[in-house]
Amino acid sequence: MSEAYTDLDAAFRAAEIRRPDDVPAGTPLTSLVEKRADAGLRLLNTHLPEDFPHPIERGDAGDALTQLALGEAIRRDVRSARCSTVWEALRLGATWDQLAAALDTTELAVADDLRVWAEGQCTLYYQLLAENPDNRIGLDRQTHDEVMRHVAVALGRAAVDARDTYAEQAPRLRSAVAAAPMVDTVGQLRTLLDQLPDEMPLSLDDHHRALPGEEDQVHTIHPRLVGTVSGLGTPAESKQPGLMLTQVYVPFPAEEEEQAAVATRDDLPAYDEFARAAHYLERGELRPGLKDAAKVLDEVARLVGEVAADCAEHDEDGSNLQVEAKRITHAAERVRKISGEVEAAE
């Protein structure tokens, strides 16, 4: 051990550590562990009787703070070196399942951490290289690509596992979701969720759905099983079941079976007029689509007119808005007329 290193180690051992940042950069992990152990031993000595027969050094609050600060510094040190150690283990022949076991997590989680680390290290390498042509910190492109080839292997394994899991779970999950066509209370939703995997993706439908033309309707939540794709365009691309919640307006009053039959229909248009117009027009159903588009224009004209009315009587902006509101109203009338002509032509 060099004399300079010995002096630095002695200085660190004598230093007061109250925060993780008090630890000098480059301090060996072994020194942190030993100093923390010394503080811990002094704290243990505080529990010994006052008449303990051998001379001891008792700890104080400073030792407790030192132990906490060094514990955090050690955690940061270990965490920062985690992915570089993962890469070292892979380079030396460790397998992904061994790495997952060592970190008590999944292969996919380890691979994802390594992927993010490699991207950051590659960026760092070329940033520093621009400042210093002798830079050796980070990962050059060749090493980065080598890391990513290993990551691709793990992602491929994860994709196969996900497909197998999907094939195995799908029938049971479909059955559980189909048994709950309407979920109207927190308790009903909890009962359903208890039957589904915690990691299952959850999404909300973009639009409320409803039977067109029904006067009296009440809303309910319809859960349905959908296929979700993760890792799109990567070696880990896989399909897995997900739960989507859709708000549906069903007839009221009506028998529960009748309401459930409506809730489970997959051809219901959106409740919102704009989304419903898009629903119909995208399918080439011009009559209902144009009628709903005219209703949207009517609503826009009403809103613009209200804003115009709030403006001062002789305000130029108010006058312009009133003109635009009338133009939008005329556009709605023209669209409505066209929808009638389309209906007559059909």
Side-chain angles (χ1 to χ4, degrees):
M1 184 179 295
S2 69
E3 184 177 344
Y5 177 85
T6 303
D7 291 343
L8 288 173
D9 187 60
F12 169 70
R13 289 178 180 277
E16 181 181 89
I17 305 296
R18 295 294 183 268
R19 301 173 57 193
D21 293 340
D22 291 339
V23 177
T27 303
L29 184 60
T30 53
S31 297
L32 271 64
V33 173
E34 289 173 1
K35 187 175 179 70
R36 186 174 186 275
D38 291 342
L41 179 59
R42 289 191 293 273
L43 288 174
L44 285 175
N45 288 343
T46 62
H47 297 284
L48 295 175
E50 293 296 331
D51 57 351
F52 191 72
H54 302 291
I56 57 172
E57 185 179 3
R58 296 180 185 272
D60 56 19
D63 285 310
L65 294 173
T66 294
Q67 194 174 43
L68 290 171
L70 286 173
E72 176 60 18
I74 291 169
R75 186 194 69 80
R76 293 181 185 181
D77 195 338
V78 172
R79 186 67 181 87
S80 67
R82 171 171 167 160
C83 285
S84 62
T85 307
V86 167
W87 169 231
E88 190 72 6
L90 281 171
R91 191 180 64 81
L92 294 173
T95 61
W96 283 105
D97 57 339
Q98 290 173 331
L99 289 167
L103 294 172
D104 192 24
T105 186
T106 64
E107 294 181 24
L108 182 59
V110 181
D112 196 51
D113 276 352
L114 186 62
R115 176 187 60 79
V116 173
W117 172 81
E119 295 291 352
Q121 289 295 306
C122 188
T123 300
L124 176 65
Y125 177 85
Y126 286 101
Q127 285 177 343
L128 297 179
L129 188 65
E131 303 169 3
N132 176 14
D134 296 325
N135 173 62
R136 294 295 181 270
I137 299 174
L139 300 179
D140 60 21
R141 178 58 59 185
Q142 181 178 353
T143 307
H144 167 268
D145 291 346
E146 186 179 354
V147 174
M148 296 308 292
R149 282 193 291 272
H150 283 269
V151 169
V153 172
L155 295 181
R157 287 165 58 100
V160 171
D161 290 343
R163 286 193 293 269
D164 291 344
T165 300
Y166 177 78
E168 178 184 342
Q169 291 185 343
R172 178 179 63 81
L173 300 179
R174 278 196 293 267
S175 177
V177 174
M182 297 187 298
V183 176
D184 294 317
T185 67
V186 172
Q188 290 174 335
L189 179 59
R190 184 186 299 116
T191 299
L192 172 60
L193 295 180
D194 285 344
Q195 302 176 63
L196 306 177
D198 291 341
E199 65 276 10
M200 173 181 279
L202 176 65
S203 59
L204 303 178
D205 200 344
D206 289 337
H207 304 295
H208 302 167
R209 309 289 172 180
L211 270 177
E214 284 286 335
E215 292 293 330
D216 297 317
Q217 301 187 69
V218 63
H219 81 271
T220 185
I221 302 299
H222 168 55
R224 58 194 176 103
L225 203 63
V226 295
T228 61
V229 178
S230 60
L232 186 64
T234 72
E237 180 175 326
S238 62
K239 184 179 180 182
Q240 58 182 317
L243 183 69
M244 176 176 283
L245 301 180
T246 302
Q247 183 166 321
V248 182
Y249 286 84
V250 295
F252 180 84
E255 295 293 333
E256 184 174 340
E257 291 78 7
E258 181 183 350
Q259 292 178 333
V262 172
T264 55
R265 282 177 53 179
D266 58 7
D267 62 335
L268 291 179
Y271 181 74
D272 174 74
E273 288 168 343
F274 180 84
R276 193 168 63 230
H279 170 88
Y280 285 129
L281 293 175
E282 287 171 357
R283 289 160 177 75
E285 300 179 44
L286 297 183
R287 273 186 296 170
L290 292 175
K291 286 181 179 179
D292 281 326
K295 292 178 182 177
V296 172
L297 290 172
D298 283 333
E299 182 64 16
V300 173
R302 184 187 66 79
L303 291 173
V304 174
E306 288 180 356
V307 173
D310 290 338
C311 295
E313 183 177 354
H314 301 293
D315 186 277
E316 183 179 352
D317 289 338
S319 299
N320 290 337
L321 286 174
Q322 288 176 350
V323 171
E324 293 304 321
K326 291 178 181 178
R327 287 178 176 174
I328 298 171
T329 299
H330 293 156
E333 292 172 354
R334 289 196 297 272
V335 171
R336 191 174 290 107
K337 181 180 178 182
I338 294 172
S339 70
E341 292 173 351
V342 169
E343 184 173 356
E346 293 179 351

